[in-house]
Amino acid sequence: MSFAQFPLSKGDRYFLEARAKTHTLPQTLLLEGGEEDVRRALAKQIAAAIVCRDSENAPCGVCAACKKCASGNHPDIAVYAPEKKNAQFKVEVCRRIRQDAFVVPNDGDCKVYILEDSQNMNDSSENALLKILEEPPVGVYFILTCDSRAAMLPTVLSRAVVVSLQGAHTAFSAETVQAAEAIADALCAGSEWTLLCATAPLQKDRDEIRNVLACLAELFVDALCVQCGGAGDADMQNTAKKLAAKLPKAKLYGALQAAEALKKSAERNANTNLLLTGLCYRLRQAIEHK
């Protein structure tokens, strides 16, 4: 099976193919969207590419490592999932993975941990993985799968390259995308007046504020992905690239946290004027913080 057989965007497919061929896949990947069995199959395909012995055509499907992957018997590929459907991913499992990551591989130079249904992790489980995801040992790879990146902590998202299967993203209207991109452009310009002008049209529509905040959060995640060598949502890719070029990782992460916090305030029906004031203040604070 090749990456072309998966419902991926052209950008994500080219990214995986190129990185697999050169054995430069990111050490932490998050696969979101699509059907559960498709996510599982893609995770195993990527794992096979990581351990494949072919230096130019990974996964080749014919080397000893690929054959072990196909049979589900590769000793350096471990798959973890919640014990039951929709059950929580236990923190003890994440701690065990963190400890095992420092054990030398059995059959090669790499180890791969596939964590299925990561959306079922609670905050404790995700936090237990944070340090190891931020600084994984050499040759250790993590592939997380989930329904949607929205279910994951921003701290985890900032450490992973996100690859999206068909149906992963929220469908935003053209007006919402345009409003979110105007705010992002204002942040890149570094102009407080431009930012105020970009948020002004939202004063009369509370629902649109929520939509724009959700879209902004995706833009910041996409920008973090671009910085890690990934590809963001095709509809907002140019703006994500601008953000990635203009703002360092720490500031993008701060802006993402601000957008997520403001989105929660909007969902609690906070005052519209206070929301917009907070939007301008918190985003400016995030990108100006040293």
Side-chain angles (χ1 to χ4, degrees), residues 52 57 59-63 66-67:
C52 178
N57 189 34
C60 67
V62 297
C63 71
C66 283
K67 289 179 179 178

Side-chain angles (χ1 to χ4, degrees), residues 157-215:
L157 290 174
S158 69
R159 289 157 171 80
V161 173
V162 181
V163 172
S164 300
L165 288 150
Q166 186 176 339
H169 290 286
T170 303
F172 296 113
S173 69
E175 292 76 14
T176 297
V177 172
Q178 184 177 8
E181 290 187 321
I183 293 171
D185 285 340
L187 290 175
C188 290
S191 166
E192 186 174 359
W193 173 249
T194 305
L195 183 59
L196 287 170
C197 291
T199 57
L202 303 175
Q203 288 180 345
K204 298 180 181 180
D205 193 338
R206 181 189 299 276
D207 289 337
E208 184 61 359
I209 293 175
R210 286 195 287 265
N211 294 336
V212 169
L213 285 168
C215 189

